[in-house]
Amino acid sequence: MDIQGGLRDKLRFIERHYAAASAPFRETKRKIGAGEDPFEPPPFDAETATDFRPPFLQQWQEANESLNIEGEVALQLVQGALREYLSSFINLYGDPLMASGKNWLRLYRKHFLETHGIDWEEGPVPIDELEEVSLERNDVERCGDRFGMTRQLTKDRELSFPVSRFVDEIEEQVFHASGHSWPGRIEVTDSGLKEAIRRVETLCEFLRFETLQKPLTAV
């Protein structure tokens, strides 16, 4: 079984799917910003105007939220791909995961160390960066306003990851500068998704390299 190839194919599909699914919302935002049809700004008269909000604000906000939802879905797929890879890896070598607990990523990390002597701490991706991808997906699934589309970091996540690749950067800067409590709204951008994929691929390539250096035997 070529689990490396399977992971690579799935991640490339996620990238293509996200690009295609998010394109209409990017185009809507671009057209609104450029004032293109059908979002041409109406004539403005400062003497009679009563609404000073930017034209098509609601359409822009909805397109932006839809774009973020596509990013959140893609991030969940990336996390799922990593979990599938790790599960397939240990099944391939006949060493079932015996440990139990709530943090599945730490369980796999412990398994690789105790069973095969592969220490993720020696790998090219810091453990907290891997956990950020996993926990971000959890927050997307569980944390947010009832009936609302906005998802937020949990309080402990804000403390654990004061600088995150998966938050609204402008909002973060504004609230930190004002000294007010930051609500931690999750925003999965194109660059954030690419970074998540890079972290996953880099870890899995490290594991593959380690298996080539030495036969996998229990230590």
Side-chain angles (χ1 to χ4, degrees):
M1 179 188 298
D2 182 11
I3 60 174
Q4 215 73 28
L7 174 72
R8 182 171 57 251
D9 290 346
K10 188 161 190 173
L11 292 178
R12 296 294 82 77
F13 172 80
I14 294 171
E15 288 177 329
R16 293 193 300 272
H17 173 79
Y18 171 75
S22 62
F25 308 118
R26 295 181 189 279
E27 181 64 3
T28 295
K29 291 178 63 178
R30 186 196 68 77
K31 285 185 175 182
I32 293 175
E36 295 182 5
D37 181 63
F39 303 107
E40 297 168 322
F44 179 77
D45 186 343
E47 295 183 357
T48 61
T50 58
D51 186 355
F52 295 93
R53 293 175 300 176
F56 307 108
L57 177 61
Q58 181 178 351
Q59 290 89 332
W60 189 96
Q61 290 174 330
E62 288 186 355
N64 189 60
E65 195 63 69
S66 296
L67 182 62
N68 193 39
I69 289 173
E70 293 298 338
E72 291 172 354
V73 171
L75 184 65
Q76 293 184 66
L77 292 173
V78 170
Q79 192 247 39
L82 172 59
R83 194 162 187 171
E84 288 174 353
Y85 174 89
L86 296 175
S87 176
S88 298
F89 190 107
I90 64 174
N91 290 335
L92 184 64
Y93 290 98
D95 298 305
L97 187 67
M98 303 301 294
S100 61
K102 295 183 178 180
N103 191 321
W104 66 270
L105 192 63
R106 289 183 179 271
L107 296 180
Y108 277 107
R109 173 189 169 194
K110 182 179 180 182
H111 174 87
F112 274 85
L113 179 60
E114 295 181 349
T115 305
H116 303 300
I118 299 177
D119 188 354
W120 292 15
E121 292 282 4
E122 297 176 356
V125 185
I127 300 301
D128 61 344
E129 291 188 359
L130 293 170
E131 288 201 318
E132 183 181 19
V133 174
S134 176
L135 294 174
E136 201 74 48
R137 178 262 182 189
N138 293 345
D139 286 350
V140 165
E141 196 170 75
R142 304 169 186 168
C143 302
D145 298 331
R146 183 173 296 181
F147 302 118
M149 302 308 298
T150 297
R151 319 313 290 172
Q152 295 178 333
L153 303 178
T154 57
K155 286 297 182 181
D156 58 332
R157 290 269 288 105
E158 291 184 34
L159 296 175
S160 300
F161 299 95
V163 178
S164 174
R165 290 300 301 269
F166 309 110
V167 298
D168 185 288
E169 296 181 3
I170 296 178
E171 180 184 84
E172 180 184 14
Q173 294 171 2
V174 169
F175 274 89
H176 282 175
S178 67
H180 292 90
S181 176
W182 174 46
R185 185 171 71 87
I186 296 173
E187 182 176 15
V188 184
T189 63
D190 179 64
S191 62
L193 178 62
K194 288 179 179 177
E195 173 60 17
I197 291 175
R198 184 199 68 80
R199 294 175 187 179
V200 167
E201 284 194 291
T202 303
L203 169 69
C204 296
E205 182 60 27
F206 165 72
L207 298 178
R208 185 194 70 84
F209 178 79
E210 289 294 300
T211 63
L212 294 177
Q213 300 305 302
K214 57 184 178 180
L216 286 188
T217 56
V219 296

